[in-house]
Amino acid sequence: MPENSQILNLIELFCQEKEIAESTFGLRAVNDGKFVGRLRAGKGITLSTLKTIEKFFIDNKFEIDKSLTQPQTTFDSAKSGHSATNKTEPHFRFYDNRQKYLLFVNTCSEKWAVANRVGQELSRLKIRSPALRVFDAGVGDGTVLSRVMRHMHKLHPNVPFYVVGKEISLEDVRLTLEKLPDRFNEHPASVVIITNMLYSEAPKLFPRDKENQSQLNWGEVALEGNSAHEFEEQISNLDDRITYGWQVRTSQKTGNPVYVRPSVLVLYRKDHSLLMDNIIPRVGSVMTDYNLVIASQPFRLRASLDLKIKKILAPLVRSLAPGGRLVAIQSHGGDPGAEIINRVWADERPFIHNRQILLEGLRKEIGLGSTGFNFGAGSDRNSLFRYVMHTLPSEIGASIGTSTLMAAWNAAVYVAQIEDKRLEMTMSSNDYLEHTAASLRKHNGLWFNDESFVVSRRGRP
């Protein structure tokens, strides 16, 4: 039987090509709108259901063995236990593995810790009319942003919010949208914008390339009602719309997912539209200077310094308003998670560019304009913070359960971004579990270090 990830990959590609929601696929293919959700949750699939899906693909003229990007697997090879040759395998990255990502975020407290760290900057912001402007450079599942917005409301209950979130993952956009109804209910004067554009484009909500400009997919949703339940119903009905807008393809140059069409989704409450008319963005008329930029894990650890600086950090820093602050966060190492990695791979050094290196490169990239910014590396005491893997006191002892060991191993290799090929070889024996158990016992659990740094723009707002 094929792995769920192989089947899900096919389904995602089919939905992108046919421009339908995954729930629609489930209804049409197997008469079950929740089929794909169950598959993501790890439910198995029978051979008869597999054949039904295969027939559905064939009937809809979906070329199974030509459509996969990662990993490239046909149904015939999956049934026999062998995979077809994958020409794009070198581009497959562990960091993008959906199942491992979900296991990590649901067993570790990083999202909470990051939100608390970002929250420390809110009282330092210098805000000017007409709104508190926030840019989240990688929304993920929306946990960090929603928690930060709660903190924003506590400090500024009567200030309009203008919040832009960049996210290319369709599934993460769905998860983020699920968290917004309560935010609109508690803080009615909010405009939330989600976009899939590049770091250099997203703050301005406008693509650089002329061809992409002509394909700009701009949507505006004025939510009606005055309760979180009503907002949730309307946001849930956007599934087909975001499925169309958040289609991706694989870059032949880098292997990264890139958007098929640049998309912007603007949400606000209709009963506050008159009050916020001057901050609701329109094509060609948007606010491009931000009081706060959140850059939590915006790049892969092993990405080049040039890419981290020129493609990501520099554009974000330039989008700051006078008095604005960018909070950047990345994995640091020097923790039990890194210890597990070095027990298995003694020479592994995934944390190659610390905050001092990044800030120095950022100064050079900005050049003469760097005098207009403050670059705060800070001491380790102020810059490093810890998050943990959730465990019960009884789970760390003489005999550690397999599920706890697997969750700890997954978290360690996820943070270190170890690719799947190396994992497959290592996991052919149980040594990796013994190393994981040894570290858990030594430290009575598992925790990780993140490091943060702040860049602020000088001047009065």
Side-chain angles (χ1 to χ4, degrees):
M1 295 296 293
E3 296 180 359
N4 282 14
S5 59
Q6 297 170 341
I7 305 167
L8 284 167
N9 194 37
L10 280 167
I11 293 172
E12 288 174 2
L13 288 165
F14 179 88
C15 291
Q16 291 168 12
E17 181 178 307
K18 305 300 180 182
E19 298 181 0
I20 64 171
E22 291 179 350
S23 57
T24 304
F25 170 87
L27 286 170
R28 293 180 182 176
V30 294
N31 197 30
D32 181 1
K34 297 183 178 180
F35 171 75
V36 179
R38 294 192 181 99
L39 209 57
R40 291 192 188 284
K43 184 178 180 181
I45 182 171
T46 65
L47 185 59
S48 61
T49 302
L50 189 65
K51 288 181 177 179
T52 300
I53 295 173
E54 181 180 16
K55 184 178 183 301
F56 180 77
F57 283 152
I58 294 171
D59 291 344
N60 284 273
K61 299 179 180 180
F62 181 63
E63 298 182 17
I64 297 171
D65 54 350
K66 291 184 181 180
S67 300
L68 279 177
T69 54
Q70 59 178 38
Q72 188 168 357
T73 307
T74 65
F75 269 90
D76 288 338
S77 62
K79 290 175 190 175
S80 62
H82 301 286
S83 296
T85 301
N86 185 2
K87 296 180 181 179
T88 62
E89 179 61 24
H91 290 321
F92 179 79
R93 292 140 336 160
F94 176 92
Y95 206 50
D96 290 331
N97 188 297
R98 189 72 190 167
Q99 287 71 33
K100 294 181 176 69
Y101 164 75
L102 290 174
L103 178 57
F104 171 77
V105 299
N106 284 293
T107 57
C108 294
S109 64
E110 188 190 27
K111 300 287 187 182
W112 303 351
V114 167
N116 289 339
R117 173 62 188 89
V118 174
Q120 295 172 19
E121 301 300 320
L122 292 177
S123 61
R124 301 184 175 99
L125 298 181
K126 299 176 182 179
I127 307 167
R128 62 175 170 82
S129 179
L132 168 51
R133 302 175 299 285
V134 176
F135 182 84
D136 190 342
V139 176
D141 68 352
T143 299
V144 171
L145 181 60
S146 60
R147 292 176 72 90
V148 170
M149 289 179 70
R150 291 191 192 103
H151 197 166
M152 288 162 55
H153 175 77
K154 178 182 177 182
L155 295 176
H156 307 287
N158 300 312
V159 174
F161 293 165
Y162 178 89
V163 178
V164 178
K166 168 189 158 44
E167 184 54 60
I168 197 169
S169 165
L170 173 62
E171 285 305 307
D172 277 334
V173 170
R174 288 192 178 109
L175 292 172
T176 298
L177 292 176
E178 288 178 359
K179 297 176 175 67
L180 293 183
D182 292 322
R183 296 301 85 230
F184 283 115
N185 188 52
E186 181 178 58
H187 199 92
S190 298
V191 179
V192 180
I193 304 106
I194 308 295
T195 182
N196 61 358
M197 290 189 220
L198 304 174
Y199 287 97
S200 58
E201 303 170 331
K204 299 178 181 179
L205 300 178
F206 199 68
R208 296 174 302 171
D209 184 85
K210 287 187 177 181
E211 182 178 347
N212 286 332
Q213 291 172 10
S214 66
Q215 297 179 6
L216 179 59
N217 173 44
W218 188 286
E220 186 174 308
V221 179
L223 300 169
E224 299 185 10
N226 56 12
S227 69
H229 178 72
E230 291 170 293
F231 304 147
E232 181 182 40
E233 286 184 320
Q234 294 164 71
I235 289 174
S236 297
N237 291 332
L238 299 175
D239 200 42
D240 287 342
R241 196 165 177 173
I242 63 171
T243 298
Y244 172 78
W246 268 259
Q247 294 180 43
V248 296
R249 58 181 176 82
T250 300
S251 168
Q252 295 300 312
K253 182 179 180 180
T254 66
N256 291 331
V258 294
Y259 60 70
V260 171
R261 59 183 63 82
S263 296
V264 175
L265 181 64
V266 181
L267 301 103
Y268 57 89
R269 285 181 55 158
K270 187 175 182 179
D271 58 2
H272 280 65
S273 59
L274 182 62
L275 171 68
M276 300 186 298
D277 185 67
N278 60 334
I279 68 171
I280 296 172
R282 275 90 185 185
V283 178
S285 178
V286 302
M287 288 187 284
T288 59
D289 54 342
Y290 295 89
N291 305 120
L292 174 67
V293 173
I294 306 168
S296 176
Q297 309 287 8
F299 36 65
R300 288 169 180 78
L301 295 175
R302 293 174 177 81
S304 69
L305 183 62
D306 193 60
L307 182 147
K308 292 176 180 178
I309 298 297
K310 292 184 178 181
K311 301 293 185 181
I312 300 175
L313 290 177
L316 296 178
V317 166
R318 292 187 178 109
S319 72
L320 288 173
R325 303 175 73 83
L326 174 142
V327 186
I329 294 166
Q330 66 173 2
S331 300
H332 178 270
D335 49 47
E339 178 182 289
I340 292 172
I341 297 301
N342 288 136
R343 283 175 181 266
V344 178
W345 298 283
D347 298 326
E348 190 70 22
R349 298 292 183 270
F351 312 104
I352 57 177
H353 300 131
N354 61 27
R355 64 189 185 277
Q356 290 86 356
I357 293 174
L358 291 173
L359 286 171
E360 182 59 29
L362 193 53
R363 281 194 190 94
K364 292 180 179 178
E365 174 63 22
I366 295 178
L368 294 176
S370 64
T371 57
F373 296 91
N374 297 311
F375 300 87
S379 65
D380 281 356
R381 180 178 180 180
N382 294 325
S383 297
L384 301 189
F385 61 94
R386 178 184 297 187
Y387 64 93
V388 302
M389 185 185 81
H390 301 297
T391 57
L392 296 173
S394 60
E395 290 180 318
I396 308 297
S399 178
I400 304 174
T402 302
S403 61
T404 301
L405 284 177
M406 290 304 298
W409 169 253
N410 177 82
V413 295
Y414 180 84
V415 170
Q417 298 174 20
I418 306 297
E419 63 273 17
D420 273 9
K421 274 192 173 181
R422 295 170 65 193
L423 289 175
E424 289 172 6
M425 292 186 290
T426 300
M427 295 173 68
S428 60
S429 71
N430 287 328
D431 290 349
Y432 73 98
L433 290 178
E434 295 175 4
H435 290 310
T436 303
S439 288
L440 290 180
R441 293 192 189 99
K442 177 181 175 181
H443 300 282
N444 196 33
L446 180 63
W447 48 269
F448 299 88
N449 288 324
D450 274 354
E451 68 174 341
S452 62
F453 60 89
V454 175
V455 179
S456 60
R457 190 163 205 154
R458 294 172 180 167
R460 295 184 177 181

